[in-house]
Amino acid sequence: AIRMTQSPSSLFTVIGDRVTITCRASQVIRTSLAWYQHKPGKGPELLIYDASTLQNGVPSRFSGSGSGTEFTLTIDSLHSEDFATYFCQQYYEFPTTFGQGTRLEIK
Amino acid sequence: QVTLRESGPALVKPTQTLTLTCTFSGFSFTIPGMCVSWIRQSQGKALEWLGLIDWKSEEHLRPSLGTRVTISRDTSKQQVVLRMTNMDPADTGTYFCVRSFAVGISCYASSFDSWGQGALVTVSS
């Protein structure tokens, strides 16, 4: 199975900061990558699919980029509601696999 | 509005069979391309896709689980059922019911656009 490695695993940051999270795939996955936000007690929410397409209703401060094996999720001007765990998913090869997650915490 | 809700036992004993039910609304399996998966998250581990059932009622399962997992659906009740046999403490975690749309004829090559809030299952004697 394709291994997805996220970095960092946790990040202490402040409201207003620009945050970048990286996801690396163990083999080429083209742009078959999604990003999710997960808050405790709730189901994850899809933010971005196909590496850079914003899901309907997701604020424009979220953006994704990358192709091949390296991908980034960027949050411009962090809001208080953005403190959560973020994880990536590849759907290029069966079975789909996920990164371990990056936890954003308030500094 | 699409909603999915998982229900089932919070505690099962080792070797028992887990049965979880996903009750959904806002969509239907009569729509070609509709897929519902089960995904779990164990403590400290990445999310793990377990399997799915599609609009053709075909079941696709994670190979590493062998014959432990079955997924079925009841269209009239708008439910999808996960059964996992021979439960082990390593199966402890939160189980999510998740929707996706097939790309072409395949449910595999897509992201998941709607998730339930998850059901925490503990396996312990």
Side-chain angles (χ1 to χ4, degrees), chain A residues 21 35-37 47-48 52-55 57-64 73-79 81-83 86 104:
Chain A
I21 299 168
W35 289 99
Y36 300 85
Q37 178 191 71
L47 300 174
I48 288 170
S52 61
T53 303
L54 202 64
Q55 172 72 344
V58 174
S60 59
R61 62 181 180 273
F62 291 91
S63 63
L73 171 70
T74 301
I75 311 172
D76 285 321
S77 188
L78 205 62
H79 286 44
E81 60 266 31
D82 300 336
F83 290 97
Y86 294 83
L104 288 192

Side-chain angles (χ1 to χ4, degrees), chain B residues 60-104:
Chain B
H60 303 271
L61 303 173
R62 187 178 192 87
S64 60
L65 293 173
T67 57
R68 292 185 60 205
V69 170
T70 59
I71 298 175
S72 60
R73 74 179 207 211
D74 185 329
T75 303
S76 63
K77 293 182 181 178
Q78 303 250 94
Q79 291 180 334
V80 172
V81 177
L82 169 75
R83 288 189 175 85
M84 183 177 289
T85 62
N86 194 25
M87 292 292 283
D88 181 270
D91 296 313
T92 293
T94 298
Y95 287 72
F96 295 97
C97 171
V98 191
R99 185 188 80 160
S100 62
F101 288 98
V103 174

